[in-house]
């Protein structure tokens, strides 16, 4: 099978001829499919192309949502370290990165203003020290200890997506660090 695949790729390359490389792009850039009803889902495959020549001028906005429910135990520290490492790596590889961090567990709410902010600890920032300060605020059991399974991950994503100061024209990513399925 591998030989056939290699031959097919080589033949396709010969037929298509030289193509200009796409640098720093995400394809497709937007989802233009049908509107989804509650409970429906769709899989969207995206191709991210990054020019290997070094940092770029692509705008990258990232938000890290960390599950702080009791089942995360010592994994909260691992999630915080992973968020920091990924932010630092993105800063090394891209020219303009801004990131934020938030928490969720059981009680994320789209309607309760006292709970709404829990999906955002700090808004997006390009400052590594400000981002780290926000990561340092993440603690097990805050905003609450959970209490059942699954956790309110989808609600946290919606809250962050609607309330962060995403930069116009940015490529937007959310990283959800959890041990539970979402409700």
């Amino acid at each position: 099978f591998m030989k056939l695949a290699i031959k097919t790729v080589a033949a396709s390359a010969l037929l298509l001829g030289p193509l200009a490389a796409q640098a720093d792009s995400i394809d497709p850039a937007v989802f233009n499919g049908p509107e989804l009803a509650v409970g429906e889902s769709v899989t969207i495959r995206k191709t991210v192309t990054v020019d290997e020549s070094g940092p770029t001028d692509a705008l990258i906005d990232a938000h890290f949502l960390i599950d702080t429910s009791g089942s995360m135990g010592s994994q909260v520290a691992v999630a915080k370290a992973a968020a920091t490492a990924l932010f630092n790596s993105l800063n090394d590889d891209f020219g303009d990165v801004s990131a934020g961090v938030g928490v969720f567990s059981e009680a994320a709410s789209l309607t309760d203003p006292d709970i709404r902010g829990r999906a955002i600890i700090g808004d997006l920032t390009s400052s590594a020290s400000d981002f780290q300060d926000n990561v340092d605020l993440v603690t097990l059991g805050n905003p609450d200890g959970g209490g059942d399974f699954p956790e309110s991950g989808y609600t946290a994503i919606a809250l962050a997506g609607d309330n962060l100061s995403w930069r116009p024209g940015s490529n937007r990513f959310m990283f959800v660090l959890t041990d539970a399925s979402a409700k």
Side-chain angles (χ1 to χ4, degrees), residues 36-167:
L36 300 176
V38 173
E40 291 183 314
S41 65
V42 64
T43 299
I44 303 168
R45 301 227 182 261
K46 293 194 173 238
T47 301
V48 178
T49 305
V50 179
D51 184 359
E52 66 181 320
S53 65
T56 70
D57 60 356
L59 293 177
I60 304 294
D61 284 351
H63 188 65
F64 297 87
L65 284 166
I66 299 175
D67 176 354
T68 56
S69 63
S71 64
M72 286 291 283
S74 63
Q75 295 305 305
V76 168
V78 174
K80 289 166 60 171
T84 298
L86 187 52
F87 176 72
N88 291 334
S89 178
L90 288 169
N91 267 333
D92 291 343
D93 294 335
F94 295 93
D96 196 345
V97 177
S98 190
V101 64
V103 296
F104 70 97
S105 55
E106 182 59 32
S109 171
L110 292 171
T111 57
D112 185 338
D114 293 329
I115 297 173
R116 183 177 296 141
R118 293 181 177 172
I120 302 170
I121 287 179
D123 208 342
L124 299 174
T125 179
S126 58
S127 164
S129 63
D130 289 348
F131 177 77
Q132 188 60 55
D133 288 346
N134 292 333
V135 169
D136 290 342
L137 294 172
V138 174
T139 56
L140 182 66
N142 183 14
D144 61 65
D148 72 355
F149 191 89
E151 304 302 346
S152 296
Y154 291 134
T155 305
I157 291 168
L159 288 169
D162 290 344
N163 293 292
L164 284 167
S165 297
W166 301 102
R167 296 178 294 171

